[in-house]
Amino acid sequence: MSIDLRNAPVLVVGAGIMGAGIVQVAALAGHRVMLYDTRAGAAAQALDKLAGTLKSLVDKGKLAADAAQAAMARMVAVDSLAQARESGLVVEAIVENLDAKRALFRELEGLLAPEAVLATNTSSISVTAIANGLAHPQRLVGMHFFNPVPLMKLVEVVHGLQTDAAVAEAIFALSQTWGKVPVHAKSTPGFIVNRIARPFYAETLALLQEQAATPQVLDACLKAAGFRMGPCELMDLIGHDTNFAVTNSVYAANFFDKRYVPSLVQGEMVAGGLLGRKSGRGFYAYGEGGGVPPLPVAVHEAPATARQVTVHGVGPIADHLEHAAIAALAPQGWGPARDLASDWIGLTVDGAHLVLTDGRSAQQLARELGAADVAVFDRPVALPIAPGSALAYAVAPSAHAAWRTQAGAWLAALGFTPLPLADAPGLVVARTVAMLINEAADAVLQGVCDEAGADAAMKLGVNYPAGPFEWLKGWSVDGVAAVIHALDAEYRGERYRLSPWLRRRAHRSS
């Protein structure tokens, strides 16, 4: 059985920002669209605002005037659900409350034709749970848009346990005709995006709890890795109350799995009303002249003259280090040696070690290498590496004062903006990206999505610079596993456990 919704009349329930955005997209795609809201006059007000939005698009040359007029002619506010009996598709965008959604769909079932498709825009509630109690639960499907709906391309097509495959395929095909990029997802806590994204916030919050660095430093490191906003800046934008609520919801829905445990740091901020932009203060202060303050960066002198510099390891990062070291040593009239047989990546400078993190702390490496002067630096995931990229590093407590200065000087000479961090395992970018990959691997293992769906969802839904499996291809399963094993060895809890999907592909023993 196939279902064609391309010409179906559409009912959107909920006249908030998401509902209005869905109306705009559907009407511009040629559908007759009815908008309903329980608040008297809210639907009509939303359509009036949409008229202004479309006029603005016309004025900017982004939409033809006749297309805007035709779209507005297809939109109508209705005062009751009964006025929308002919709808072939309903998209619900009401409050995130299970009982409210169940009640709505039960009412709709009694009004609409048996073949009408029921879609929920829920971002976190189980589609299976919403369908519970319906006479025909197979026709309910998740159609999760991202805000702002007209601009964001991703739609998660969420299958409940009883969702008919033909219904899901019809929504998938319709999303494409609406100019969206749909991905199939199984109804599990957080679906794809809200689940996989948890470590982006969680690792930074954990580092803040350990006082490993300031919010400015952590944000700068992750923005240098290609993220449009750092996690602290992004949590301030989302609102800490909202972000904390989603984390608590995912945590509870996963039966309090320690991987999703909420942060004490964020809980305290919510308790104190420090909600971010909406309250005027979160990690940063807002208002006139507010926002993310300039990053205080130390000025590094050129590194002291060295007698012997060797670049260790193979791969793109090692190659970058070699080219940068050649340039740095050129004024001295000589270049670095290269040790391709090393099982680690980095430099030795007259016996001191500057090592690309594999998850182990600088102090642990110092013990294992039998050397006092050891520093680790973060993983630059964006290649080629932009000049002056912020890069976290940490120096072993055993290191001499001279190497504490020289480690940063060498990273600066190699083209980075070095930012000192406490000696935390995995530093910032390496541990965050490793955990994002690990979460995505578990999602694929559990059938929530496939690899391509995970990559598309994270790039289109939250603007990640790459998808988790794209990062994995540029790293290695063994490399990701090493970071997670190192985190697990340090913290000895349930949070840092390697996904079986990765474990089955890893060659390094745990």
Side-chain angles (χ1 to χ4, degrees), residues 143 171 237 243 263 266 365 408 495:
M143 191 179 191
I171 292 296
L237 177 64
N243 190 265
S263 165
Q266 192 169 49
L365 279 168
R495 177 169 170 173

Side-chain angles (χ1 to χ4, degrees), residues 5-6 67 84 98 104 109 115 205-206 217 226 265 269 272 276 465 471 475 477-478 488 492-493:
L5 296 172
R6 287 175 296 180
L98 176 60
L104 171 65
E109 230 187 0
E115 64 272 13
L205 289 167
V217 166
V265 170
M269 293 178 72
W471 277 318
W475 197 345
V477 172
D478 286 347
D488 184 51
R492 298 186 182 280

Side-chain angles (χ1 to χ4, degrees), residues 9 11 13 34 36 38 78-90 102-118 134-136 139:
L11 167 64
V13 182
M34 292 154 279
Y36 171 76
T38 55
V78 295
D79 298 322
S80 70
L81 294 175
Q83 291 178 271
R85 288 178 181 274
E86 75 272 25
S87 302
L89 168 67
V90 176
R102 278 179 174 169
L104 171 65
F105 283 117
R106 287 172 185 170
E107 183 178 359
L108 287 166
E109 230 187 0
L111 293 172
L112 305 180
E115 64 272 13
V117 172
L118 308 177
L134 292 180
H136 303 287
R139 64 172 170 168

Side-chain angles (χ1 to χ4, degrees), residues 190-252:
F191 309 144
I192 304 174
V193 171
N194 281 330
R195 172 187 176 157
I196 295 176
R198 290 299 96 201
F200 184 66
Y201 313 109
E203 294 310 310
T204 282
L205 289 167
L207 288 165
L208 288 170
Q209 186 162 327
E210 294 179 19
Q211 302 181 75
T214 64
Q216 295 100 310
V217 166
L218 298 173
D219 278 354
C221 290
L222 284 156
K223 285 195 281 189
F227 293 93
R228 292 191 183 181
M229 299 180 76
C232 296
E233 189 179 4
L234 183 55
M235 284 184 279
D236 274 2
L237 177 64
I238 294 168
H240 288 278
D241 52 344
T242 301
N243 190 265
F244 190 62
V246 171
T247 301
N248 276 281
S249 174
V250 172
Y251 182 47

Side-chain angles (χ1 to χ4, degrees), residues 73 95 234 293 298 373 419 447 457-458:
V95 63
L234 183 55
D373 290 337
L419 301 176
M458 301 316 291

